[in-house]
Amino acid sequence: MKILAVCIGNAERLPGKSYKTGINKHAISGGVLVDAEGLLGDAICNRKHHGGVDQAVYVEGSLTLDWWSAELGQTITPGTFGENLVIEGLDNTMVAVGDRFIAGDLVLEVTSARIPCATFAARMGDPLFVKRYTRAGRPGIYCRVIEPGTVTAGESVEWRRFEGARVTMPEMMATFGRRLSAEDRTRYLAAPIHYKLRDSLLAER
């Protein structure tokens, strides 16, 4: 596997929206420093719902973007979904919480699935895209930064799978906002899930 694209965005207003967003990302050349807060120079406008240590880097697999290109009948170029990294040969549906992506010194750890929002729908120019994305069950991947480093397109990537019970990205999307069974809650808490989800699951006990 390798890094197919590294993408960052500027703070911009989407048509019909009054607020700024960094969802419009574009692929860049050269290395980019990635620290605990994400890629240097990448705009994150709404930090209540985006960014932070457990959503520092957003990853898409090239196989998933290929699927969306076929589904939508148009080429989904790197950055279209607001992702920071595109990993060649990766299928999002196979990724689970705790999996790690290692590129040089950079170590990322998967924390949660991408849940679509109105800004994403506006970016795609389709008010029904949130439902379409959810039904597809191929959510993007949020990661925390375990070890900072510089990332460059073309760089090799190691995918190291979490050795514990697997909580996949499609499952996380399917259970979002729902009360888990005691068995599933225990399994989720045994994985290095996003701290906000961990706090909400602990509060249910």
Side-chain angles (χ1 to χ4, degrees):
M1 287 184 166
K2 68 179 182 180
I3 302 293
L4 186 64
V6 178
C7 307
I8 62 173
N10 299 315
E12 302 174 17
R13 284 189 175 87
L14 294 173
K17 299 296 182 181
S18 61
Y19 56 86
K20 289 187 176 181
T21 173
I23 198 171
N24 284 327
K25 301 200 188 300
H26 56 276
I28 61 171
S29 59
V32 178
L33 177 65
V34 184
D35 62 17
E37 292 291 332
L39 279 68
L40 187 67
D42 184 42
I44 301 173
C45 299
N46 182 355
R47 289 188 175 272
K48 180 179 180 180
H49 299 294
H50 302 289
V53 294
D54 279 1
Q55 287 184 184
V57 179
Y58 174 36
V59 174
E60 285 282 356
S62 70
L63 298 182
T64 298
L65 295 183
D66 289 346
W67 184 91
W68 275 109
S69 292
E71 174 72 9
L72 299 175
Q74 65 184 74
T75 300
I76 301 300
T77 57
T80 298
F81 283 4
E83 70 273 15
N84 297 119
L85 302 179
V86 179
I87 298 180
E88 187 177 59
L90 182 68
D91 179 346
N92 295 8
T93 65
M94 304 301 293
V95 176
V97 174
D99 287 1
R100 292 190 174 188
F101 298 109
I102 303 168
D105 293 333
L106 179 65
V107 180
L108 305 177
E109 183 176 70
V110 176
T111 62
S112 59
R114 190 254 189 88
I115 305 300
C117 62
T119 299
F120 189 23
R123 168 69 179 89
M124 298 305 294
D126 179 1
L128 300 179
F129 196 74
V130 167
K131 291 183 178 179
R132 187 171 189 175
Y133 188 87
T134 301
R135 283 198 305 269
R138 290 170 165 80
I141 304 155
Y142 280 121
C143 300
R144 63 171 63 94
V145 178
I146 300 298
E147 294 290 343
T150 299
V151 64
T152 308
E155 189 172 7
S156 296
V157 180
E158 177 189 354
W159 176 15
R160 189 174 297 172
R161 291 165 175 80
F162 182 57
E163 294 182 356
R166 295 186 71 72
V167 179
T168 66
M169 298 298 96
E171 181 182 11
M172 290 200 83
M173 171 177 274
T175 58
F176 179 74
R178 300 181 182 180
R179 189 175 183 87
L180 299 177
S181 67
E183 179 181 358
D184 285 342
R185 185 166 60 250
T186 297
R187 179 166 55 89
Y188 272 51
L189 289 171
I193 56 176
H194 192 296
Y195 74 92
K196 289 183 179 178
L197 177 57
R198 178 173 298 279
D199 289 347
S200 68
L201 292 178
L202 289 172
E204 290 180 3
R205 289 181 164 180

